[in-house]
Amino acid sequence: MTTAIYPGSFDPITNGHLDILKSGSEIFDKVIIAVSHNIEKKGFIPVEKRVELIKESVKDLKNVEVDTFEGLTVDYAKRCGTHILLRGLRTASDFEYELQLSQTNNYLSKDIKTVFLMTKPEYNFISSSMVKEILKNKGNIKQFVPKPVYQYLITNCDI
Ligand code: ADP
């Protein structure tokens, strides 16, 4: 049984994240989407709410679990009994950052392996920060996020 951890902030989860997750769930027996929780950083959406929204957004994916973690991703992966991390790639700048991150994780834990999946062209420009920026400027974010996230953002986040 192969389990992969898909770690990130997911603040909020977007359709780009979901696409990577769906592909990952076809490759691995189980994927745990793990929301990183930094007590010093409040984030845009409270972590508990992010988890709730992700759970609603992935309810049709039977082999996907949602969790939160603090501290190093490699330690969290160990606690879950796996050495596989899943990450998504969009642009060349993502590649540089992700390469550094994956090498750091590999330095911290020599068994850890990061599997990268490429985004589809239609999700290439979608990021959580872009969604927040559009929302802030009263633009339409409907096409970029799952339905439960859209509902939450337009009713609760008048930023
Ligand atoms: P982090 O805070 O660790 O950067 P994010 O929540 O922003 O986490 O993203 C988690 C993972 O999802 C990263 O590997 C990121 O590159 C990937 N990702 C984000 N947006 C997209 C997208 N539109 N298409 C594919 N992968 C994406």
Side-chain angles (χ1 to χ4, degrees):
M1 166 122 175
T2 51
T3 299
I5 308 292
Y6 183 29
S9 314
F10 306 106
D11 191 22
I13 189 165
T14 68
N15 288 337
H17 290 128
L18 261 194
D19 179 56
I20 298 293
L21 190 65
K22 279 182 195 151
S23 302
S25 73
E26 288 166 17
I27 298 169
F28 301 105
D29 296 312
K30 184 162 100 180
V31 178
I32 304 174
I33 177 160
V35 182
S36 58
H37 186 193
N38 182 345
I39 27 176
E40 280 152 35
K41 267 205 226 155
K42 216 172 122 246
F44 175 60
I45 301 174
V47 172
E48 304 71 33
K49 191 70 202 176
R50 271 182 250 167
V51 168
E52 199 183 305
L53 292 171
I54 296 170
K55 280 187 177 159
E56 281 178 54
S57 308
V58 304
K59 64 177 187 314
D60 294 335
L61 300 172
K62 299 298 169 216
N63 60 342
V64 169
E65 286 177 16
V66 190
D67 194 9
T68 61
F69 73 102
E70 280 173 45
L72 295 176
T73 310
V74 292
D75 292 337
Y76 174 73
K78 250 181 235 159
R79 291 199 293 280
C80 294
T82 185
H83 61 283
I84 305 168
L85 303 180
L86 172 65
R87 296 282 290 180
L89 284 178
R90 286 161 295 186
T91 55
S93 59
D94 264 0
F95 174 80
E96 289 194 9
Y97 171 71
E98 293 290 342
L99 176 68
Q100 203 178 16
L101 190 62
S102 115
Q103 288 173 339
T104 306
N105 284 332
N106 216 230
Y107 175 82
L108 294 168
S109 173
K110 69 173 172 31
D111 293 336
I112 215 86
K113 303 267 184 288
T114 309
V115 173
F116 295 99
L117 294 178
M118 304 292 172
T119 189
K120 293 202 181 80
E122 61 264 41
Y123 302 125
N124 203 43
F125 61 94
I126 304 178
S127 66
S128 302
S129 40
M130 190 272 292
V131 166
K132 284 178 270 197
E133 198 55 33
I134 297 176
L135 190 67
K136 195 166 95 184
N137 291 291
K138 316 258 179 258
N140 189 356
I141 51 155
K142 200 171 186 175
Q143 303 306 314
F144 306 134
V145 291
K147 258 197 197 126
V149 176
Y150 176 69
Q151 282 308 331
Y152 173 80
L153 290 177
I154 58 161
T155 44
N156 295 281
C157 299
D158 194 14
I159 50 176

